[in-house]
Amino acid sequence: MSIFTPTNQIRLTNVAVVRMKRAGKRFEIACYKNKVVGWRSGVEKDLDEVLQTHSVFVNVSKGQVAKKEDLISAFGTDDQTEICKQILTKGEVQVSDKERHTQLEQMFRDIATIVADKCVNPETKRPYTVILIERAMKDIHYSVKPNKSTKQQALEVIKQLKEKMKIERAHMRLRFILPVNEGKKLKEKLKPLIKVVESEDYNQQLEIVCLIDPGCFREIDELIKKETKGKGSLEVLNLKDVEEGDEKFE
């Protein structure tokens, strides 16, 4: 037996609803749970992975699709995919208090994990545990921003924690091999970007092993390529210069 469904109704399950009010009317789109944040942070780029359907609704839970004339009046177009993109980017995600709390808790843990992975105590070179970073984040009353990526927020957290504890990003260990002629001049330009020079060797070429802040890697790489016209080389010896064992608070 077939069940009659009105043509302006679509039933969906396991939905995250994003809502926008425009021209005095409410418009909604149906997304997959946990995908909206990924789209807004740039992690997810495939619209079909985010939207359950390219339809625009007036009420997702009732399956009521928006009328063409209402879309044109509110958005100046009836291109549903383009309207979906607008609502997805600027609309308000409808989640229950419980879902919101769970989502924020997970993001809080993810941020703490990134910080623990990237940072050390600069005096001991030992990494901090995730639990310790979570405790420190609570001490500074860090508030998670659901529309910002966890990576961006981790960098903010590191800045804020620096004011309260001994913490900095773990240094990268690099080896430069530079032509002697360009090497001496280039070394002066690289100096402000290097934290510690561990060894320096002049033979047919200039070889330097050093520690840098990971944030300077791209600038150093581009500088070496440009100044040596591709003759110089850059090798990453360690992504993180750390000692064994976890750091503990005194």
Side-chain angles (χ1 to χ4, degrees):
M1 186 179 76
S2 65
I3 298 170
F4 174 72
T5 304
T7 54
N8 70 334
Q9 287 199 342
I10 300 173
R11 297 290 183 190
L12 297 161
T13 55
N14 190 28
V15 170
V17 175
V18 183
R19 180 182 297 163
M20 179 187 272
K21 286 188 178 174
R22 183 74 77 88
K25 292 190 185 298
R26 184 176 80 178
F27 299 96
E28 297 181 346
I29 56 172
C31 304
Y32 292 103
K33 287 190 174 179
N34 308 322
K35 289 289 188 177
V36 178
V37 173
W39 174 270
R40 289 180 171 179
S41 64
V43 174
E44 180 58 69
K45 292 181 168 55
D46 185 352
L47 197 60
D48 290 327
E49 289 292 316
V50 183
L51 296 177
Q52 293 216 12
T53 168
H54 288 240
S55 300
V56 180
F57 299 80
V58 289
N59 190 315
V60 167
S61 61
K62 291 181 181 175
Q64 294 174 346
V65 182
K67 293 175 183 173
K68 181 176 176 179
E69 54 266 33
D70 289 342
L71 294 177
I72 292 169
S73 168
F75 296 95
T77 178
D78 62 349
D79 184 332
Q80 304 227 3
T81 299
E82 282 308 308
I83 296 168
C84 282
K85 283 182 186 174
Q86 282 190 49
I87 298 173
L88 186 56
T89 305
K90 299 175 184 172
E92 190 179 315
V93 183
Q94 308 300 300
V95 290
S96 69
D97 289 342
K98 187 181 175 186
E99 281 179 315
R100 185 179 286 108
H101 182 69
T102 304
Q103 183 189 21
L104 292 178
E105 272 190 339
Q106 183 58 52
M107 286 185 79
F108 191 89
R109 272 194 297 274
D110 291 347
I111 293 164
T113 302
I114 294 168
V115 173
D117 183 55
K118 288 183 179 296
C119 295
V120 293
N121 179 323
E123 292 182 359
T124 64
K125 293 287 196 297
R126 289 179 177 226
Y128 289 105
T129 63
V130 175
I131 292 169
L132 210 147
I133 295 295
E134 282 185 355
R135 198 188 314 155
M137 285 168 66
K138 284 171 186 168
D139 288 345
I140 62 169
H141 306 292
Y142 186 76
S143 177
V144 174
K145 300 164 189 70
N147 292 335
K148 242 184 172 184
S149 77
T150 49
K151 191 174 177 183
Q152 283 176 309
Q153 292 187 75
L155 296 174
E156 282 176 19
V157 167
I158 293 167
K159 279 183 195 169
Q160 291 182 33
L161 290 181
K162 276 183 179 178
E163 296 171 16
K164 300 288 181 185
M165 61 192 280
K166 292 169 185 170
I167 188 169
E168 69 175 32
R169 289 188 66 178
H171 293 144
M172 289 173 78
R173 181 176 280 109
L174 303 179
R175 179 191 287 129
F176 312 141
I177 298 175
L178 311 170
V180 172
N181 292 342
E182 293 95 340
K184 290 178 183 177
K185 189 171 71 174
L186 183 52
K187 185 185 153 192
E188 292 306 308
K189 291 186 179 181
L190 290 169
K191 255 186 189 175
L193 303 171
I194 295 172
K195 288 282 183 185
V196 180
V197 174
E198 293 189 328
S199 69
E200 208 171 306
D201 190 21
Y202 282 92
N203 281 317
Q204 261 75 26
Q205 295 174 308
L206 169 60
E207 183 178 315
I208 299 172
V209 175
C210 62
L211 299 176
I212 68 154
D213 186 310
C216 297
F217 178 80
R218 187 177 292 172
E219 193 177 344
I220 289 170
D221 187 34
E222 287 173 356
L223 194 59
I224 289 174
K225 281 178 184 168
K226 182 183 167 191
E227 296 290 329
T228 67
K229 295 182 174 59
K231 293 177 190 168
S233 67
L234 171 59
E235 182 186 354
V236 178
L237 300 179
N238 292 99
L239 281 172
K240 291 188 295 186
D241 178 40
V242 296
E243 296 291 336
E244 290 297 316
D246 292 327
E247 188 57 50
K248 298 174 179 65
F249 270 144
E250 303 287 321

